[in-house]
Amino acid sequence: MPIKVLLADDERLVRSGFKVLLDLEDDIEVVGEATDGAEAVESALLTRPDVVLMDIRMPRMDGIRATRRIAEIAGLAQVRVLILTTYDTDENVFEALQAGASGFLLKDAGPAELLHAIRVIAAGEALLAPRITRRLIGQFTARRRAALAAEERLAVLTEREREVLALVGQGMNNDEIGAALFLSPATARTHVSRAMVKLGARDRAQLVVIAYQTGLSE
């Protein structure tokens, strides 16, 4: 059986180009077209495609909302969504994947990449555009390193001192910290002083900076 594909894009020329390309393949069949996300959901219910090529920026309902809707419908559990877009921002990538997309490919990808992506997605695998994958891995690695560095830096503090540091980062004074943690202002002041000594902070302002740098206050 050929791979059934639904095209969802508000630009007719884009849909036509995809259709011409896909119709040349013996193992792929275009079963429908949609001009916005709402139509994509309706067409998916009617045609039960294996793969939906979904644009992000569309009127009425965007591709991410449509992807989320398709993923929520029990009868469409077998439908895989491949997001196609000219935008490769992190927000789009994460939103699409969280919505239930199985893959993410940029529109400037070549025909061979697109055909490969459809076959990979139809087989139940996940796919991200290579340069997006590299960038995401780089970001996750950087975040992981930052988290490890922050944990090492905060390792000298007790749990109570961490709580106090987080509240210092929020701009609380000793009285407010004491009230929040059910401590006396004097005890709160002691914890603040100890945190300053352990972290090598010159003053309270530096504690605020450290609290944000280490992720205790965001």
Side-chain angles (χ1 to χ4, degrees):
M1 294 290 290
I3 299 169
K4 296 185 295 182
V5 176
L6 170 64
L7 306 175
D9 196 298
D10 60 331
E11 296 183 34
R12 179 182 295 180
L13 284 176
V14 172
R15 295 197 311 275
S16 298
F18 286 150
K19 190 173 188 309
V20 169
L21 172 65
L22 300 183
D23 282 344
L24 294 174
E25 302 301 308
D26 294 334
D27 63 335
I28 297 176
E29 176 189 0
V30 175
V31 295
E33 297 183 31
T35 61
D36 59 47
E39 280 188 14
V41 176
E42 294 170 4
S43 296
L45 284 166
L46 289 173
T47 62
R48 306 294 168 125
D50 298 302
V51 176
V52 180
L53 294 189
M54 184 82 76
D55 186 27
I56 286 184
R57 305 295 178 90
M58 293 187 292
R60 220 162 43 118
M61 180 187 290
D62 64 34
I64 292 176
R65 287 174 58 203
T67 298
R68 185 175 294 111
R69 181 68 186 120
I70 289 173
E72 291 171 346
I73 300 174
L76 299 180
Q78 85 288 351
V79 176
R80 309 292 179 186
V81 176
L82 175 60
I83 296 289
L84 279 167
T85 184
T86 53
Y87 306 93
D88 65 342
T89 62
D90 297 337
E91 182 180 1
N92 285 335
V93 174
F94 288 120
E95 276 195 285
L97 296 177
Q98 289 174 347
S102 296
F104 196 105
L105 196 64
L106 299 180
K107 283 185 176 178
D108 62 3
E113 284 182 86
L114 175 59
L115 294 173
H116 172 70
I118 291 173
R119 292 176 178 122
V120 167
I121 296 300
E125 302 295 331
L127 181 141
L128 288 174
R131 73 171 180 260
I132 294 176
T133 304
R134 284 194 297 272
R135 182 159 47 78
L136 288 179
I137 290 173
Q139 289 179 345
F140 280 126
T141 300
R143 290 174 187 171
R144 179 61 177 162
R145 287 174 180 167
L148 289 173
E151 189 57 37
E152 289 177 4
R153 191 173 189 183
L154 296 176
V156 296
L157 302 182
T158 65
E159 188 61 35
R160 177 62 80 186
E161 288 165 353
R162 288 191 186 210
E163 293 174 343
V164 169
L165 177 59
L167 296 180
V168 170
Q170 294 175 24
M172 290 189 182
N173 59 34
N174 293 334
D175 289 343
E176 292 169 332
I177 292 172
L181 299 178
F182 303 102
L183 304 172
S184 69
T187 300
R189 185 184 310 110
T190 298
H191 285 307
V192 171
S193 298
R194 287 176 178 169
M196 287 176 61
V197 171
K198 289 181 178 181
L199 295 172
R202 292 192 307 272
D203 52 31
R204 202 179 185 97
Q206 280 202 332
L207 281 185
V208 174
V209 173
I210 293 172
Y212 276 88
Q213 286 178 336
T214 56
L216 285 181
S217 295
E218 294 184 287

